[in-house]
Every structure is written in C-alpha cells, then in structure tokens.
Amino acid sequence: MLSAIMNLLRACLQPKADRYVHSSSDTSGRQEGLLWYKDLGQHFNGEFSMAVVQANNLLEDQSQVESGCLSIDDSGPYGAFVGIYDGHGGPETSRFINEHLFPHLKRFAAEHQTMSAEVIKKAFQATEEGFLSVVSRQWLIKPQIAAVGSCCLVGVICGGALYVANLGDSRAVLGRLVKSSGEVLAVQLSAEHNVSIESVRQEMHSLHPEDPQIVVLKHNVWRVKGIIQVSKSIGDFYLKKAEFNREPLYAKFRLREPFKKPILSAEPSISVTQLHPHDQFIIFASDGLWEHLSNQDAVDIVQNHPRTGSARRLVKAALQEAAKKREMRYSDLKKIDRGVRRHFHDDITVTVVFLDMHLVSRASSVNTPNVSVKGAGINLSARSLTPTDGGTTS
C-alpha cells in the first residue's frame, strides 16, 4: 500500500503544483500554494492569527473571524466570534455554515438583547434547519448532498466571558499562565464528539439501546454504523432522517435496516468560561492539527514565539510531524498536490485568538469597527464543484 502511494507521489512531485503558487497581499490574507494565512489582525479583545492548508481536492474546511457588533442592532452586544467548520463528504455544509451561522447568531442576539449559550444554541439549530431545506430542495437532482456534513466549532468572546460551542471533533484550547511557575498550560475548553473516545461510544449505546451495532470497529477505527467517526454534526441527514437514507444515495451510505430516530445529533456542547488576566490566548483548530500536535505542544509553540504568524507556525509544525510519520522530508510533502495530499494529512485550519485583558474587560456595549475575515483555499471554476462520490467522513 505504502509503495503504491509513493509511486503515485513521484508523479505528483512535479512542478505542476506550481500552478497554484500565487501570492496576494490584502486585508483578507495571503495565498501561497495550498497555504492561506493571515499572520496578524485586530479583533475586539486583542489580536488574532489564521492559517489554512488544503489537502482535499476541494477544501472542506471553512473558517471565519468576526469582530465588532454581534447583533443586527448597532446597539450591541460587541465582541469577537470565531468559527472553524470541518466538512466531510464535500464542501457544501461547511460553506453553508460559513455564510449563515453568524447572521443567525446576530439575529438571536438582537432578539435576546444579550449574548448567551441559548443564543448560540438557537443559531446552531437555525443553521441545521437551513441546510436541511437545501438538502430537501436538491435531493432529487443531487442526492449525495444528504451525505455531506460538517463539524462546527464556535468561540464567542463577549462581556468578559468566552463561550465555546462544538459539534464533532474540532477543538478549542486555552493557554493559561500559571503565575507561580511562569508556565503556560493548555486547558481544553471543548467537548469532542468522536466515537474513538470511549465515553462517546457509551453515550451512543445509551441513546440507542435497541441497536447493538450503533458503533462498529471497522478497519481498526470506531465508526457510527460503520460509516462516520463523529456523533454530532451539521448536515449528514442520511443519518438523521430516514427519507434521505435510500436510493439514489450511494449504497455505501445506505443502512440495511430503517431507523426511526436520528442517529447523529446537532445539539452542541457549550461551555462558558469567565476570562481572567492569566488567560493568554485560545487556539481554535480542526482535527487536522490535533492529529499531529498535543494540546500542550500547540500552546508551547504559540507561547514561545511572537504573535505574528502563530497560526501558520502551528500548521507548519503539524505538517512537519505528518512528514516525519511517513519518513519523508517536509520540503517534499509541500510539493504534493491537493487531492493526493489527503493521503498524508487532512485539511488543517487554525485560528489563534490573543487576549489583551484591558480589552477583554471592557464593556460589551463599546462600539468598535466591524472586522470580517474568512479563510480561503484554491479557487476553482464552477465546473469543478461537482458532488463527491463519497468523500471522507470525519
């Protein structure tokens, strides 16, 4: 298997990858080959750094940073919003979330006249319902869209509090200074929903006691119904609504037995943390990063270097680890084109949010200019945006 992949690689280590090497310098970021990055920007509570490296033929990760007014009313509240959307089976769901989740959050924040876990939960629910409408409309002409989904990690900093909401296996990690030792320790803020974790498998069995095959070990990987690793997501309606688990959906996604209740959930895990002066920064990243770096390794990399380029530095560290695992040089890994690159690592998306406490502690009613930055990948023509024949499942 490895020799076959290496033979395929030799054909891909050609300069054809240079077709995508272009740089642009603007307020949104820079693109260099399969890497997009914004080394440093300003948000309501401090500074941020973003980076994305593409591995899939179509970038399935999407990301955004929004800062300023967090409601449709100019009266506030004000703060910062971070989103990491790790798609699987195709890019449609993550792109939909990137366009619709934040507007939903602003609408509910205006209705409640505040930021809260309830506001965030409602925004997730509205996004799920919106994508369901898309799937229902497109089912007859594009049935595979029912097998497209996305993990969804959101962070909201508002009024001195940090809200972290998660579906799937992306992760938010806080770097917290320990004054007595001067160390910055990693504190994981997000709960993950991946059946590789025993407690998640137990939860699935308790939710589906009638189905002993709800989680199956397949090719040495735990998967829900032998198909997908995550137990919560936006989309994936083929495992939420029985009417989408039938022909003409590809056979690999169709279950032998009909199901009466949703197998996957879109109910996010939400934590609320009051921020303190010893809280230095938060790393938000898709699982592509955490496959190669531990929480503490990532925090150490950010802490021990200048803020500028922090996200890009984390991506590079993960790629170096991916290359090392395949006993190849990092310089050779970088030459591999998208698509084939997926054999070596996943799309990786990282946003590092630095906390300047004099800004974090200011009132959420302080009016500041709005900032909006979205991560990017290789631009493809509309003809290229065809449904995948199955894709990967997180």
Side-chain angles (χ1 to χ4, degrees):
M1 176 67 180
L2 182 57
S3 61
I5 292 176
M6 294 308 295
N7 288 335
L8 187 59
L9 269 181
R10 291 187 184 98
C12 297
L13 292 178
Q14 304 302 317
K16 71 173 187 175
D18 292 345
R19 288 177 301 174
Y20 309 112
V21 178
H22 60 282
S23 298
S24 61
S25 181
D26 56 32
T27 56
S28 295
R30 296 171 61 89
Q31 183 88 41
E32 292 181 359
L34 298 179
L35 174 70
W36 176 94
Y37 60 91
K38 182 174 180 63
D39 277 343
L40 203 65
Q42 297 284 334
H43 68 92
F44 186 82
N45 307 106
E47 296 176 315
F48 68 92
S49 177
M50 300 175 72
V52 181
V53 67
Q54 181 171 346
N56 286 292
N57 191 41
L58 296 178
L59 180 67
E60 294 183 339
D61 278 14
Q62 299 289 316
S63 56
Q64 66 187 126
V65 171
E66 309 287 342
S67 177
C69 189
L70 299 180
S71 87
I72 56 176
D73 297 333
D74 289 338
S75 58
Y78 292 83
F81 172 98
V82 178
I84 305 284
Y85 318 123
D86 180 1
H88 45 260
E92 292 87 349
T93 313
S94 56
R95 291 178 180 177
F96 184 88
I97 299 169
N98 210 20
E99 294 298 324
H100 294 87
L101 178 57
F102 184 60
H104 284 313
L105 179 128
K106 293 177 71 174
R107 177 166 58 89
F108 289 117
E111 288 180 8
H112 288 248
Q113 297 185 327
T114 188
M115 183 55 59
S116 66
E118 183 65 20
V119 165
I120 297 170
K121 181 179 176 181
K122 285 184 175 182
F124 272 65
Q125 182 180 357
T127 306
E128 169 87 340
E129 292 171 355
F131 192 66
L132 174 59
S133 297
V134 172
V135 172
S136 299
R137 289 196 305 269
Q138 296 189 12
W139 165 251
L140 292 178
I141 57 171
K142 190 181 176 183
Q144 309 316 320
I145 197 168
V148 180
S150 182
C151 300
C152 185
L153 172 65
V154 162
V156 180
I157 305 170
C158 185
L162 169 62
Y163 302 84
V164 173
N166 194 42
L167 296 170
D169 54 10
S170 296
R171 189 181 301 171
V173 174
L174 174 70
R176 174 171 286 167
L177 176 66
V178 179
K179 287 189 176 181
S180 59
S181 65
E183 294 178 283
V184 175
L185 297 183
V187 180
Q188 185 168 324
L189 300 174
S190 53
E192 292 176 31
H193 315 113
N194 186 308
V195 292
S196 65
I197 303 168
E198 185 177 358
S199 61
V200 178
R201 294 198 298 275
Q202 291 174 349
E203 180 184 31
M204 290 298 288
H205 283 296
S206 67
L207 290 171
H208 304 273
E210 75 289 347
D211 185 0
Q213 300 297 310
I214 190 66
V215 182
V216 177
L217 188 63
K218 187 174 181 180
H219 303 306
N220 214 31
V221 177
W222 288 103
R223 294 181 182 274
V224 178
K225 301 303 293 182
I227 300 174
I228 189 170
Q229 289 179 261
V230 294
S231 60
K232 294 190 176 189
S233 67
I234 300 287
D236 293 312
F237 289 110
Y238 74 113
L239 291 176
K240 293 176 179 176
K241 294 187 175 291
E243 61 262 37
F244 297 121
N245 198 286
R246 57 183 174 85
E247 291 185 341
L249 188 70
Y250 289 131
K252 65 183 285 186
F253 295 119
R254 298 201 303 268
L255 304 182
R256 294 176 183 175
E257 301 293 331
F259 56 92
K260 296 180 180 180
K261 63 180 181 180
I263 295 170
L264 302 186
S265 166
E267 181 88 9
S269 297
I270 302 178
S271 68
V272 185
T273 303
Q274 292 298 316
L275 294 171
H276 299 285
H278 51 273
D279 296 329
Q280 306 292 294
F281 53 82
I282 312 121
I283 303 168
F284 298 90
S286 59
D287 71 321
L289 181 81
W290 307 113
E291 285 174 7
H292 302 291
L293 298 179
S294 71
N295 292 356
Q296 192 61 52
D297 285 342
V299 165
D300 289 345
I301 289 169
V302 174
Q303 176 62 22
N304 295 331
H305 294 87
R307 288 184 174 188
T308 300
S310 290
R312 184 154 52 116
R313 205 170 286 118
L314 286 170
V315 167
K316 180 178 179 179
L319 295 181
Q320 288 173 327
E321 286 299 314
K324 188 185 301 182
K325 289 174 184 176
R326 291 305 186 95
E327 298 182 344
M328 64 189 300
R329 291 179 299 187
Y330 168 65
S331 58
D332 286 337
L333 176 63
K334 288 202 301 179
K335 296 174 185 174
I336 302 172
D337 207 354
R338 59 189 173 83
V340 179
R341 184 81 83 90
R342 184 62 181 86
H343 292 288
F344 298 84
H345 66 83
D346 199 355
D347 295 334
I348 301 174
T349 297
V350 182
T351 298
V352 183
V353 175
F354 295 97
L355 303 171
D356 292 334
M357 203 44 61
H358 69 286
L359 299 178
V360 171
S361 59
R362 67 182 173 180
S364 62
S365 58
V366 175
N367 191 337
T368 62
N370 290 338
V371 173
S372 179
V373 181
K374 294 191 175 185
I378 300 301
N379 290 321
L380 299 170
S381 65
R383 290 180 303 155
S384 301
L385 299 180
T386 55
T388 64
D389 63 356
T392 60
T393 49
S394 292

